[in-house]
Amino acid sequence: MQLDRAARRARTAPTGGPPVKETPPAARAGASRSYRDVQGSAEFGALRRAHRSFAFPLTVAFISWYFLYVLLSIYAGGLMGTEVIGNVNVALVFGVAQFLSTFVIAWWYSRHAATKLDPPADAIKSRVEGDA
């Protein structure tokens, strides 16, 4: 009886929840092969290229834009202190533009993902889950 309780405790989730399903080693090996097959597929390669061709250049552009702001703040204090309208100076305009560009990039990526990444990812997922 004590052994049975200990065995049950070992199979439950760490939070004391319902028992954790154990995947047999043969099924894990099959799933591993399936995921490797998907990773090597042309469809997955196209999905990965679609993500990288959008995310990497945009990341480089945003980081460059951010460092331009920082470097101008450090080395071009006169320029950044130039008043544009009233007490609003160039540094404040650049700072607000940093926030705006962050939101625009998030919105743009969301649109890109919804149109270019999600449909092929869903197709791959349903194909893999259908094989399981």
Side-chain angles (χ1 to χ4, degrees):
M1 181 135 174
Q2 289 293 340
L3 183 61
D4 187 40
R5 284 184 188 163
R8 256 188 285 146
R9 260 187 264 129
R11 288 188 305 236
T12 59
T15 58
V20 176
K21 292 182 182 178
E22 294 182 20
T23 307
R28 279 189 298 229
S32 177
R33 269 195 307 276
S34 175
Y35 287 120
R36 278 190 239 125
D37 292 344
V38 168
Q39 186 179 10
S41 72
E43 188 180 20
F44 186 77
L47 177 62
R48 189 172 46 232
R49 276 189 301 283
H51 170 70
R52 289 179 178 174
S53 67
F54 185 86
F56 289 175
L58 203 55
T59 300
V60 168
F62 182 78
I63 290 173
S64 300
W65 158 236
Y66 173 75
F67 281 126
L68 173 69
Y69 172 65
V70 170
L71 292 173
L72 285 175
S73 296
I74 294 169
Y75 295 111
L79 170 69
M80 297 299 269
T82 304
E83 291 182 350
V84 179
I85 299 171
N87 289 333
V88 176
N89 60 16
V90 173
L92 182 62
V93 171
F94 269 48
V96 170
Q98 288 284 318
F99 282 102
L100 291 176
S101 63
T102 301
F103 291 116
V104 167
I105 288 169
W107 168 79
W108 192 13
Y109 179 78
S110 174
R111 277 191 58 211
H112 172 74
T115 58
K116 303 267 191 312
L117 302 178
D118 291 348
D122 290 341
I124 292 170
K125 180 182 173 191
S126 65
R127 184 170 48 94
V128 169
E129 288 177 348
D131 291 345

